Amino acid sequence: MTATVARAESAPTANTPARKRWSVAEIEALFALPFNDLLFRAQQVHREHFDANAIQRSTLLSIKTGGCSEDCGYCSQSSRYDTGLEKESLLPLNEVLENARAAKAKGASRFCMGAAWRGPKEKDLAPVLDMVREVKKLGLETCVTLGMLKEGQASQLKDAGLDYYNHNIDTSPEFYGQIITTHTLQDRLDTLDKVRDAGINVCCGGIVGLGETQKSRAALIAELANMSPPPESVPINNLVQVEGTPLDQAKPIDPFDFIRTIAAARITMPESYVRLSAGRQQMDDATQALCFMAGANSIFYGERLLTTDNPDADADDKLFARLGLKSI
Ligand code: SAM
Ligand code: DTB
Ligand code: SF4
């Protein structure tokens, strides 16, 4: 017998079409479906909205590494943990452009620049605005992830030509305080509002494998899916364990539960790009293939994430060829 999941539509108003609000229990019910039924449903939703064989590819570059004031328990870049990472200053523009050109030559469509800041100071933002302008001129989509934004900073980024701002809510409201204490989930939501108001596309997702429960994972997906509108891009990160961080020894997530999380993101956010993000280097090819089948249609492409390894571009090109996937 197949479990069914009830759907309740929110009432439409004159200006807003009906959008379903997902309860945590409904997403837990998705997780409880037989694996094949969940994947079948996710594939159906995926095919209604996307070419199921087309994957978007973004290349990451850490433009300012280490020394972050925040205490995110998974992060190699927090100054609170001894992870052996050297703190670096902001990369010069020419080095960023060299990396962006190489990413474009390899076939990435978007270039994402990440800085280990609680948020950018005014003096930090000006050079990043130049990076956005110049990367955009190369014909790449631009994305930055700089931490929390102050009033006015999002519109400066928009004016420079920024396409996406990445700012994850990371984990469920209930679990948040066990992973991060130096800022709150509400702080993150406030920045996301500023990004949205400035007319920048939102890239917002989370991280699993932190020792969270299935319910917590369901609550993370509900929080994302109930954003109005949901993020255009939803990165789902699988923890890359980093020695020296409090989560170095966290119990890894069962790969099937990771795939279920991707499927739930696809079903609840049918129009969003769902990115199979950190953790691919530690994943076998079959697990990745099932993530694509579950509705993931974006990856980080290139041998480095921010501070940890990712499969190199040639390995991904081979995997795409074996699976008949094309890049967009
Ligand atoms: N400081 C900015 C921020 O926190 O938004 C930008 C960089 S931060 C590294 C971006 C995201 O990377 C985090 O929100 C988290 O989801 C993910 N991340 C960080 N460390 C990770 C790890 N060890 N494994 C998997 N994902 C990780
Ligand atoms: C996101 O959700 N994942 C990326 C990107 N946005 C900035 C970062 C992953 C970081 C993985 C650990 C590291 O390399 O430091
Ligand atoms: Fe800093 Fe971002 Fe790492 Fe948190 S995830 S410690 S805010 S770099």
Side-chain angles (χ1 to χ4, degrees):
M1 204 189 80
T2 305
T4 53
V5 179
R7 296 178 65 98
E9 301 293 332
S10 59
T13 65
N15 301 318
T16 54
R19 178 174 285 120
K20 176 174 166 48
R21 267 194 79 78
W22 287 89
S23 69
V24 176
E26 283 172 306
I27 295 168
E28 285 185 282
L30 289 176
F31 286 155
L33 287 170
F35 189 74
N36 287 339
D37 290 347
L38 176 62
L39 255 64
F40 180 64
R41 185 158 160 194
Q43 259 286 301
Q44 282 178 313
V45 173
H46 195 181
R47 282 169 187 273
E48 278 165 24
H49 295 90
F50 290 101
D51 175 343
N53 302 304
I55 309 285
Q56 187 276 329
R57 303 194 292 195
S58 295
T59 294
L60 267 173
L61 177 69
S62 180
I63 57 169
K64 195 268 159 202
T65 303
C68 184
S69 63
E70 303 307 279
D71 70 352
C72 312
Y74 42 77
C75 188
S76 62
Q77 306 202 67
S78 166
S79 61
R80 315 207 172 206
Y81 316 128
D82 183 9
T83 62
L85 198 73
E86 289 283 330
K87 179 181 168 182
E88 292 172 18
S89 45
L90 191 66
L91 290 186
L93 178 60
N94 60 354
E95 208 169 310
V96 173
L97 291 178
E98 230 169 78
N99 279 276
R101 277 188 210 103
K104 182 162 179 179
K106 282 276 185 191
S109 63
R110 190 177 307 159
F111 193 66
C112 305
M113 297 165 270
W117 288 321
R118 175 179 163 84
K121 304 192 176 72
E122 267 327 294
K123 72 165 175 38
D124 296 326
L125 196 62
V128 175
L129 297 174
D130 288 338
M131 293 174 191
V132 171
R133 272 185 217 104
E134 296 302 318
V135 170
K136 182 95 180 153
K137 279 190 203 156
L138 301 177
L140 284 158
E141 288 185 319
T142 53
C143 175
V144 296
T145 179
L146 312 172
M148 294 181 280
L149 296 179
K150 292 183 220 29
E151 226 49 67
Q153 292 184 322
S155 21
Q156 291 184 67
L157 287 162
K158 172 74 183 170
D159 292 346
L162 186 70
D163 296 303
Y164 288 81
Y165 194 86
N166 166 246
H167 200 61
N168 294 339
I169 56 167
D170 288 315
T171 193
S172 65
E174 292 72 25
F175 199 49
Y176 203 87
Q178 287 185 53
I179 303 296
I180 302 156
T181 68
T182 45
H183 55 260
T184 62
L185 175 56
Q186 189 57 51
D187 291 329
R188 302 286 282 189
L189 296 173
D190 291 347
T191 286
L192 290 167
D193 282 344
K194 293 186 178 98
V195 170
R196 194 45 92 203
D197 289 349
I200 300 167
N201 292 305
V202 169
C203 173
C204 179
I207 172 168
V208 298
L210 309 175
E212 73 284 344
T213 57
Q214 277 284 59
K215 184 174 186 176
S216 171
R217 255 167 245 149
L220 165 67
I221 298 295
E223 188 78 19
L224 292 166
N226 292 333
M227 287 179 181
S228 187
E232 280 75 17
S233 164
V234 181
I236 305 292
N237 295 280
N238 196 355
L239 175 69
V240 179
Q241 295 189 345
V242 177
E243 214 179 304
T245 61
L247 291 169
D248 177 24
Q249 299 297 325
K251 185 171 177 280
I253 182 173
D254 177 337
F256 296 127
D257 287 336
F258 184 79
I259 298 159
R260 286 186 174 96
T261 308
I262 298 271
R266 167 51 60 228
I267 291 166
T268 58
M269 292 172 271
E271 291 172 8
S272 305
Y273 278 84
V274 174
R275 184 174 305 132
L276 167 56
S277 300
R280 286 199 304 119
Q281 176 77 350
Q282 293 72 22
M283 228 172 255
D284 61 30
D285 289 347
T287 304
Q288 292 191 58
L290 283 170
C291 287
F292 296 132
M293 191 163 174
N297 59 350
S298 170
I299 58 167
F300 285 122
Y301 180 64
E303 63 193 18
R304 204 89 180 127
L305 292 166
L306 290 174
T307 68
T308 66
D309 290 342
N310 197 42
D312 63 38
D314 294 342
D316 278 340
D317 291 347
K318 285 193 185 118
L319 180 62
F320 274 39
R322 284 166 70 207
L323 298 175
L325 295 174
K326 56 181 177 273
S327 66
I328 43 172

